[in-house]
């Protein structure tokens, strides 16, 4: 069951990457409103890369839905007595339903400004839940002494604060883009705007960068303790490195105004960072435990 759960998480990751490319390349309307087909056709014109990206994402969604459903039902059937598995499996089903509804309405409504933020929110949280569900199916535990557990637990609490802020930052960044606040700040024309005020756009962007500083400080703190006690050393460094890359690419977007390419990279990195962060939490919650006295 654990291997199938990992497969489901991987497919979810790919679906989110495709979804990120749809948004970054402005391909959301390439297939029109004839969902789940593309411009009324089962095999559309793939010479338009916008159509290729959008239709690939549409085809990935049913596969993701099927795998998530089987994964949740299988986990409930085999591990229903474990509270963590029960909660995460049911949560994954609920998030799948909400994310599917939001995605469908987004297409049918013609991608109104700001609405895609909900799609990003539910899809990213679903990814986190699926990663945690995979870890909750883990059987073997690593026991730690009282002193080690106390110190490591403190470092993970710091990480949890930073990661929670990171999740909110990703949602804020999605709102910054999909509300067209980024267009206002970068002086890029758009067909529709949710936010037209330059001062509000600058405020949202400033909050985004303040959050970045807090997240990086928490990540550095976690790297120091992870390296000292030799737990999640590789993941802690990968997490910090991906955060730094995110910050650099975000800065490039503002300086160059290269929204399409840089934005695609930025969103992909954000999804990778989300997986790494959720893996660290999953390992702490479901693989480590305090040694009995």
């Amino acid at each position: 069951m654990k291997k199938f759960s990992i497969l489901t998480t991987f497919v979810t990751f790919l679906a989110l990457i495709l979804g990120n490319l749809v948004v970054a390349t402005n391909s959301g309307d390439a297939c029109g409103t004839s969902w789940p087909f593309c411009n009324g056709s089962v095999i559309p014109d793939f010479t338009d890369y916008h159509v290729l990206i959008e239709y690939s994402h549409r085809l990935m969604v049913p596969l993701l839905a099927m795998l998530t459903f089987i994964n949740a039902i299988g986990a409930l059937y085999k591990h229903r007595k474990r509270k963590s598995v029960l909660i995460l499996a049911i949560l994954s089903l609920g998030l799948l339903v909400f994310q599917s509804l939001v995605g469908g309405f987004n297409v049918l409504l013609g991608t109104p400004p700001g609405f895609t933020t909900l799609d990003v929110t539910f899809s990213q949280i679903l990814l986190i839940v699926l990663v945690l569900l995979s870890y909750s199916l883990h059987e073997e535990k690593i026991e730690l002494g009282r002193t080690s557990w106390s110190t490591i637990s403190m470092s993970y609490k710091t990480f949890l604060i930073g990661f929670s802020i990171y999740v909110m930052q990703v949602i804020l960044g999605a709102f910054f883009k999909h509300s067209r606040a980024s267009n206002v700040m970068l002086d890029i024309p758009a067909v529709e705007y949710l936010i037209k005020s330059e001062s509000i756009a600058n405020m949202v962007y400033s909050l985004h960068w303040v959050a970045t500083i807090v997240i990086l400080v928490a990540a550095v703190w976690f790297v120091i303790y992870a390296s000292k006690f030799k737990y999640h050393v590789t993941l802690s460094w990968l997490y910090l490195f991906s955060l730094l890359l995110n910050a650099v690419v975000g800065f490039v977007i503002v300086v160059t105004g290269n929204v399409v390419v840089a934005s695609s990279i930025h969103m992909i990195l954000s999804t990778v960072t989300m997986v790494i962060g959720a893996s660290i939490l999953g390992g702490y919650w479901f693989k480590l435990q305090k040694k009995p006295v």
Side-chain angles (χ1 to χ4, degrees), residues 131-157:
V131 171
L132 293 177
L133 179 56
S134 297
Y135 274 90
S136 70
L137 298 172
H138 192 80
E139 299 290 345
E140 299 178 3
K141 303 288 185 180
I142 299 174
E143 293 186 342
L144 302 175
R146 181 182 295 273
T147 303
S148 296
W149 174 261
S150 177
T151 306
I152 290 173
S153 180
M154 179 187 67
S155 68
Y156 275 98
K157 287 176 181 176

Side-chain angles (χ1 to χ4, degrees), residues 168-235:
M168 291 186 284
Q169 184 204 41
V170 170
I171 296 172
L172 181 66
F175 178 74
F176 180 69
K177 176 177 175 58
H178 302 305
S179 65
R180 306 296 186 263
S182 59
N183 293 69
V184 172
M185 197 184 80
L186 297 174
D187 197 25
I188 299 174
V191 177
E192 294 180 281
Y193 294 87
L194 183 61
I195 290 181
K196 297 181 179 180
S197 170
E198 187 173 350
S199 59
I200 294 178
N202 288 327
M203 181 185 69
V204 173
Y205 181 73
S206 298
L207 284 174
H208 190 76
W209 273 102
V210 169
T212 298
I213 295 172
V214 175
I215 293 164
L216 286 172
V217 170
V220 170
W221 174 279
F222 182 70
V223 164
I224 293 172
Y225 276 87
S227 301
K228 181 178 180 180
F229 288 92
K230 295 180 172 54
Y231 288 107
H232 282 146
V233 178
T234 302
L235 283 176

